[in-house]
Amino acid sequence: MKHLSKTLQKKKKILLASVLKPIDDTRMFEKLGSSLAEAGNYEVYIIGFPSKKMPVEVDSIHFFPLSKFSRMSFPRLAAPFKILKLSFQVKPDVLIVNTHELLIVGILNRILFGTRIVYDIQENYWRNILHTNAFPWPLRWLLAVWVRLKEAVTSPLFQWNFLAEKGYEKELRFLSNRYTVLENKVRLPKGFKRTNNSAKIKLLFSGTLAESTGVFEGIHLAKTLYQKEPTIELKIVGYCALPHTLREIKKAIEGYPFITLIGGDELVPHDQLLDAMAESDFGLISYRLAKHIENSVPTKLYEYLGCHLPILLQDYPPWTEICEPYQAAVIVNYSKPDIDLILLQMKALKFYTKLPEDVTWETEEPKLLKAIAGLC
């Protein structure tokens, strides 16, 4: 027992903190947290939004779920203060934050305890705020400027940055060369297999449910395909942050029994998303093409490729070029879909003639471990 205690004391403490990401978030827990814990040199602590299914504590990973709150509420504003208090209790050697709301929390840890601080950049907030409808138009410029100013001013105080998108190298000029690109490639559980043997043609729309992610285009395509092919089914699995958008989704699928919604106003555990991928015939990627995604690769593109799930893919060259070597996709113009051609290709094409390469987390993990070792 004494030997075990001594070993734990030698491990460096790594704290990953988020306001809105769930405690079992795919990136924060399954990728960063698990990779660090498995390395054997680190004791990992994770603070995040409470999950529908609390993950089982494993060796070297400890969870601190926040209390539930709505996105626009006073408890949401107070969440960074609670995270600050928890971080003071843990006193990590390295603190990784993944939202601009926790930049000050990071800096205070550095000033008071000499903590090494890392900003895990999962969004270009400037573009997302300006080019999506998450906020009313009059507020967008004000919020975008405020967030970008906060990032630019605090950036020199952060020892390192992780970028979830390679395209952020072009977009985020304030980072200098202090970053590592850790793309959101898929980490599959051992033994994962697609298992669908149904006579139905099962379509899947997974992930964030929003106008900008193309959920309404996906619904429209499924309805149109169903008119000519009644074995079509659509499963929508994901979380919708905006109540009015969720109401519109429910209205759009009302009276269509071949379309089901899982999640909606609740976060969906990632293992449930993977189960849906295993049971599906095609995954839908139907983003509305806009400025904020021009240098981005959807996480679910890597997920579908890693699962060998054929894709009904928006006709956008940077994404189609990724899929082309593997014959992984039917290319779709979601604004003017050629239904007969789409159905013909869905039934006739042989998908995944070559297994995808460079789509799994295994390519990113060594870069993560190297960056953290350099900070510790």
Side-chain angles (χ1 to χ4, degrees):
M1 198 71 178
K2 285 182 180 178
H3 175 70
L4 177 62
S5 176
K6 218 171 188 180
T7 304
L8 288 176
Q9 285 175 6
K10 289 179 182 177
K11 289 185 178 181
K12 298 290 185 178
K13 293 181 181 179
I14 312 290
L15 174 60
L16 298 102
S18 181
V19 173
L20 290 177
K21 298 290 183 183
I23 203 82
D24 59 351
D25 174 63
T26 311
R27 182 174 176 91
M28 188 166 61
F29 165 50
E30 292 183 8
K31 296 173 185 174
L32 303 186
S34 294
S35 291
L36 290 167
E38 289 163 8
N41 305 322
Y42 309 108
E43 200 74 12
V44 177
Y45 301 80
I46 299 177
I47 302 172
F49 197 81
S51 175
K52 185 177 180 181
K53 188 173 78 172
M54 182 69 181
V56 177
E57 291 219 0
V58 295
D59 287 346
S60 300
I61 302 184
H62 314 279
F63 299 100
F64 297 95
L66 300 168
S67 301
K68 281 192 173 183
F69 51 79
S70 60
R71 291 175 73 92
M72 306 296 285
S73 65
F74 178 76
R76 158 78 183 272
L77 296 175
F81 295 98
K82 183 168 185 182
I83 292 170
L84 180 65
K85 182 179 177 183
L86 286 168
S87 70
F88 285 178
Q89 291 172 6
V90 173
K91 291 188 176 60
D93 297 285
V94 178
L95 170 61
I96 303 172
V97 300
N98 64 17
T99 171
H100 64 91
E101 295 173 84
L102 297 178
L103 294 174
I104 302 303
V105 171
I107 290 167
L108 287 173
N109 271 270
R110 178 175 179 175
I111 292 170
L112 295 174
F113 305 113
T115 307
R116 312 292 282 177
I117 52 178
V118 179
Y119 187 17
D120 181 26
I121 303 176
Q122 300 182 28
E123 297 182 47
N124 182 341
Y125 290 104
W126 169 268
R127 291 194 176 200
N128 285 2
I129 293 169
L130 286 181
H131 300 293
T132 66
N133 64 351
F135 298 98
W137 175 248
L139 283 178
R140 290 181 195 175
W141 273 99
L142 182 63
L143 287 171
V145 169
W146 163 241
V147 172
R148 178 48 51 85
L149 182 64
K150 187 164 51 169
E151 289 179 318
V153 168
T154 59
S155 180
L157 298 173
F158 277 69
Q159 274 86 10
W160 208 248
N161 301 274
F162 295 149
L163 306 185
E165 298 276 4
K166 190 170 177 58
Y168 292 166
E169 291 179 294
K170 302 177 191 174
E171 297 176 14
L172 306 176
R173 301 293 186 184
F174 56 85
L175 297 178
S176 261
N177 294 316
R178 294 172 297 107
Y179 64 82
T180 299
V181 177
L182 299 176
E183 293 180 280
N184 269 324
K185 297 178 181 177
V186 64
R187 182 169 190 169
L188 293 174
K190 288 180 181 177
F192 175 88
K193 287 183 181 178
R194 288 184 51 237
T195 57
N196 181 31
N197 296 311
S198 170
K200 300 286 187 179
I201 300 176
K202 297 185 176 182
L203 311 182
L204 172 66
F205 186 100
S206 62
T208 302
L209 309 183
E211 285 186 33
S212 61
T213 61
V215 65
F216 295 107
E217 283 77 3
I219 292 169
H220 176 71
L221 180 69
K223 289 178 180 178
T224 313
L225 289 170
Y226 180 82
Q227 290 172 3
K228 293 200 172 185
E229 179 50 75
T231 63
I232 290 287
E233 290 184 348
L234 171 63
K235 185 179 285 186
I236 303 169
V237 186
Y239 175 65
C240 182
L242 301 176
H244 68 86
T245 301
L246 182 57
R247 286 194 295 270
E248 289 298 313
I249 292 171
K250 289 180 176 178
K251 184 178 176 182
I253 67 175
E254 188 177 1
Y256 295 91
F258 63 93
I259 304 178
T260 57
L261 171 65
I262 297 172
D265 58 354
E266 289 187 336
L267 294 164
V268 179
H270 193 243
D271 58 356
Q272 198 170 341
L273 285 170
L274 290 175
D275 288 344
M277 292 176 208
E279 297 166 356
S280 299
D281 295 297
F282 292 89
L284 274 57
I285 297 182
S286 50
Y287 280 73
R288 292 184 179 180
L289 300 181
K291 188 79 172 173
H292 70 289
I293 63 167
E294 67 180 8
N295 294 315
S296 298
V297 178
T299 298
K300 64 180 174 181
L301 179 57
Y302 289 128
E303 291 181 330
Y304 294 168
L305 287 170
C307 293
H308 304 162
L309 177 64
I311 306 166
L312 299 182
L313 179 64
Q314 176 68 270
D315 188 4
Y316 182 52
W319 302 345
T320 61
E321 287 167 11
I322 293 173
C323 294
E324 187 177 4
Y326 319 115
Q327 198 158 308
V330 173
I331 308 306
V332 177
N333 180 345
Y334 275 88
S335 59
K336 292 182 181 178
D338 185 335
I339 298 302
D340 290 327
L341 179 60
I342 293 168
L343 283 171
L344 176 64
Q345 292 180 321
M346 288 170 68
K347 294 174 181 179
L349 286 179
K350 184 179 179 182
F351 296 97
Y352 292 99
T353 52
K354 180 183 174 186
L355 294 182
E357 300 171 355
D358 197 25
V359 299
T360 64
W361 178 249
E362 281 70 19
T363 63
E364 309 304 292
E365 184 177 72
K367 296 188 287 183
L368 165 68
L369 297 178
K370 181 180 178 182
I372 295 296
L375 293 172
C376 290

